[in-house]
Amino acid sequence: MSSQDTTTAAGEGESVDLADGVDHQVAMVMDLNKCIGCQTCTVACKSLWTEGGGRDYMYWNNVETKPGEGYPRGWEESGGGWQSSDHSERSPGEIPDKEDYGESWEFNHEEIMYEGGDQPLRPQSDPEWGPNWDEDQGAGEYPNSYYFYLPRICNHCTHPSCVEACPRKAIYKREEDGIVLIDQERCRGYRYCVEGCPYKKVYYNAAQKTSEKCVFCYPRLEGEGPEGETFAPACAEECPPQLRLVGFLDDEQGPIYKLVEEYEVALPLHPEYRTQPNVYYIPPFAPPQHSEDGETIDVDRIPRTYLEELFGERVHDALDTIERERDKVDRGGDSELLDMLTDTNPARKYRLEVFDDA
Amino acid sequence: MAEDRLLAVWAALACLLVVTGALAPTLASARPANQIPVESVRADENPQRPTGEAWDAVPAVEVPMTSAPSGLPNADETSIEGIRVQSAESDGRFYLRLSWADETADLNASAPREFADAVAVQVPANTSVRPPIAMGSTRNPVNVWYWRGDAGTEELLAGGAGTTTPFERPAVNASATHDDGRWTVVLSRPTAADAANRTTLAVERDVDVSFAAWNGSEMERSGRKSVSEWYHFRLGPGPQGPPYESILWTIAGLAIVGVSLVTIQAVRNTGGGAE
Ligand code: SF4
Ligand code: SF4
């Protein structure tokens, strides 16, 4: 039995599916056309949440090259999620191997920095895999090779199979904003959530003997910092091209609602896992293919079939809609959609206080 | 005549065989079903150690184990089929020695796919009522004595599956060895209880107990475990209750002897008639 049946939030006009018992749902939209793979988000997250204490191998935020194996390696084939859209039965999943995550390597910093050695900087072990091992490899043949970056965090799903997997009810979806959290007091490190999450966004901490995951920087959202100010998650605020929008899915005045529900150009990753993610992606465009003699030809460089594998059938409509709006702007017209996708005003990109006095 | 005597000797031998065959098992299992005797032992014989001499004289009960019913993935795939249980008391301390076959000693949970071996014992918090076997209920909780290869011992209170919470000041000690493809773990605790909800074993009645075990290398953990049915520690007064098995075996033995005697008599008579 699913504990997260959907109810429909009451509101004017169109309305949004929220998890049962959840007042509002935090959401994030990432525009994949802007990601430069700099990993600033990864480092921001790591230095805030996962340094030391058994967390070195964890990347609550990771950025992987697609097409590619991802982090942990082969996560898309690791199972988890739901068997059908009524969320009555989960799909079995596997806990990834330590090697598939990759270990946190020790480097020969000491020798190079202080002992004047002239060997190259390298791990002191002899690793055969690690996060981003296949970075920038992608797929396709010259001159039509292609790849793009896919930043991933926990999706704070509307039907989180990690929650359902836990025999101790240690994972829960927060009532006020739908953030999915693990109660560290209740968790006993059984890792059913690790295997149950199809995105492999729960990590086992062998030092604490509990499982841990992205907390959507909830203390920042709650203004727990020194100034009492509200901040978006660090991965969003630190991103140099500012490609992430943060807010609530059910904030009908905000850009997230419009991109997801109205224009339907922001799509969840692997909707077929049926957890209904609340992180959404603007699918990537690439220049068209080139012929052998360098002529531009009218063929998609990133095969639509591949994007469909990642984002489902709706990716075609999403890409077509964006293309249409771009043409409109090219012809001198106005586009609310493109205005939202190119907005640089943080007050509109991060709408975190809209429900504060509700 | 010589033939006759030979026949008689054979018959007597056969009788003896039948009788010993029938009565021998009664010596081994002269005990009501699912009873675990609690022997008094001397503290200087080291009952706290899995290899302590104290255990040589304590009878062992073979407790069969099966997969616990559970909705967890692969819950019916468990590997531990039985636990050998002994229990003893000495100087106000209660000891339980558990031994089971497991080829690998899984002592670590230091990688995502690593799980440690574990064993647990549950007793009712209130020994006068038998709780639901799946870790009790809210109204009828159980005490769980839990040992895990990587984390040592825990003393927990549970009121149903998924509800274990540690006692504030645990009173259970454990000592474990892995030798020759077997775990042997001794759990011990003061016989009397000094905290709310802690089971007292200083009672004049039998106390329900059941067992669970996990094989870490098979990724057994939580509700994916081998469990036993309810047994009881023999702490009650008076004789050891009705030894049903012994009674049945004795009746069977006597019946066989009777049938043999009648048959021999008949053979003799037939032989006599032919002479
Ligand atoms: S992404 Fe995974 S861990 Fe996060 S809520 Fe969804 S199922 Fe749970
Ligand atoms: S910080 Fe922004 S641009 Fe850099 S990798 Fe992360 S999401 Fe991409």
Side-chain angles (χ1 to χ4, degrees), chain A residues 57 90 92 94-98 101 165-169 186 188-192 194-195 204-206 209, chain B residues 72-73 109-115 146 148 150-151 154 156 161-166 219 221-224:
Chain A
Y57 84 102
R90 290 188 300 110
E94 284 283 322
I95 303 173
D97 268 319
K98 188 163 133 193
Y101 291 103
C166 177
R168 292 182 56 80
K169 302 206 185 329
R186 293 201 55 74
R188 284 177 66 87
Y190 294 142
R191 290 160 262 175
Y192 284 108
V194 177
E195 64 180 51
Y204 172 63
N205 184 329
K209 299 198 188 299
Chain B
L72 289 171
S110 55
R113 289 178 66 86
E114 260 178 24
F115 295 89
Y146 180 75
R148 203 169 85 178
D150 66 324
E154 282 181 288
L156 305 156
T163 64
T164 51
T165 39
M219 299 183 89
R221 77 275 196 194
S222 160
R224 185 173 165 193

Side-chain angles (χ1 to χ4, degrees), chain A residues 134-148:
Chain A
D134 58 356
E135 186 165 60
D136 295 1
Q137 250 168 253
E141 291 292 317
Y142 174 85
N144 292 310
S145 48
Y146 63 93
Y147 66 79
F148 56 91

Side-chain angles (χ1 to χ4, degrees), chain B residues 188-272:
Chain B
S188 72
R189 214 208 63 181
T191 307
D194 57 352
N197 286 319
R198 179 170 283 152
T199 308
T200 175
L201 295 163
V203 286
E204 293 286 298
R205 71 163 80 89
D206 292 350
V207 171
D208 287 316
V209 59
S210 78
F211 306 90
W214 294 261
N215 183 353
S217 48
E218 294 293 323
M219 299 183 89
E220 294 172 17
R221 77 275 196 194
S222 160
R224 185 173 165 193
K225 59 186 171 186
S226 299
V227 290
S228 76
E229 54 181 31
W230 282 115
Y231 277 66
H232 59 270
F233 292 125
R234 211 199 94 71
L235 295 168
Q240 300 222 337
Y244 301 107
E245 253 190 289
S246 321
I247 293 169
L248 285 176
W249 275 110
T250 312
I251 292 171
L254 287 175
I256 292 166
V257 171
V259 169
S260 309
L261 287 176
V262 170
T263 314
I264 291 161
Q265 198 55 50
V267 169
R268 268 193 174 165
N269 289 345
T270 330

Side-chain angles (χ1 to χ4, degrees), chain A residues 34-41 63 151 235 238-241 243-244:
Chain A
K34 298 179 191 161
C35 183
I36 54 173
C38 65
Q39 307 283 355
T40 309
C41 49
V63 182
C235 57
E238 301 299 314
C239 174
L243 62 82
R244 303 184 188 208

Side-chain angles (χ1 to χ4, degrees), chain B residues 51-268:
Chain B
T51 52
E53 315 85 270
W55 296 109
D56 296 345
V58 177
V61 178
E62 299 287 343
V63 173
M65 310 276 280
T66 51
S67 302
S70 162
L72 289 171
N74 310 315
D76 52 353
E77 289 170 31
T78 58
S79 56
I80 297 161
E81 290 172 351
I83 297 193
R84 191 178 298 157
V85 180
Q86 292 165 282
S87 87
E89 222 220 347
S90 181
D91 284 350
R93 211 170 166 81
F94 193 89
Y95 298 90
L96 194 53
R97 183 178 187 262
L98 308 168
S99 160
W100 69 99
D102 182 347
E103 283 305 319
T104 53
D106 307 312
L107 289 165
N108 289 308
S110 55
R113 289 178 66 86
E114 260 178 24
F115 295 89
D117 293 333
V119 74
V121 176
Q122 67 172 348
V123 288
N126 169 3
T127 54
S128 64
V129 212
R130 173 178 285 190
I133 189 129
M135 305 182 76
S137 64
T138 330
R139 275 198 301 173
N140 203 354
V142 295
N143 281 200
V144 177
W145 309 341
Y146 180 75
W147 170 87
R148 203 169 85 178
D150 66 324
T153 326
E154 282 181 288
E155 189 185 19
L156 305 156
L157 186 68
T163 64
T164 51
T165 39
F167 273 92
E168 233 166 74
R169 270 183 290 278
V172 175
N173 288 349
S175 164
T177 58
H178 188 270
D179 195 25
D180 208 12
R182 279 192 88 79
W183 273 116
T184 304
V185 177
V186 171
L187 294 164
S188 72
R189 214 208 63 181
T191 307
D194 57 352
N197 286 319
R198 179 170 283 152
T199 308
T200 175
L201 295 163
V203 286
E204 293 286 298
R205 71 163 80 89
D206 292 350
V207 171
D208 287 316
V209 59
S210 78
F211 306 90
W214 294 261
N215 183 353
S217 48
E218 294 293 323
M219 299 183 89
E220 294 172 17
R221 77 275 196 194
S222 160
R224 185 173 165 193
K225 59 186 171 186
S226 299
V227 290
S228 76
E229 54 181 31
W230 282 115
Y231 277 66
H232 59 270
F233 292 125
R234 211 199 94 71
L235 295 168
Q240 300 222 337
Y244 301 107
E245 253 190 289
S246 321
I247 293 169
L248 285 176
W249 275 110
T250 312
I251 292 171
L254 287 175
I256 292 166
V257 171
V259 169
S260 309
L261 287 176
V262 170
T263 314
I264 291 161
Q265 198 55 50
V267 169
R268 268 193 174 165

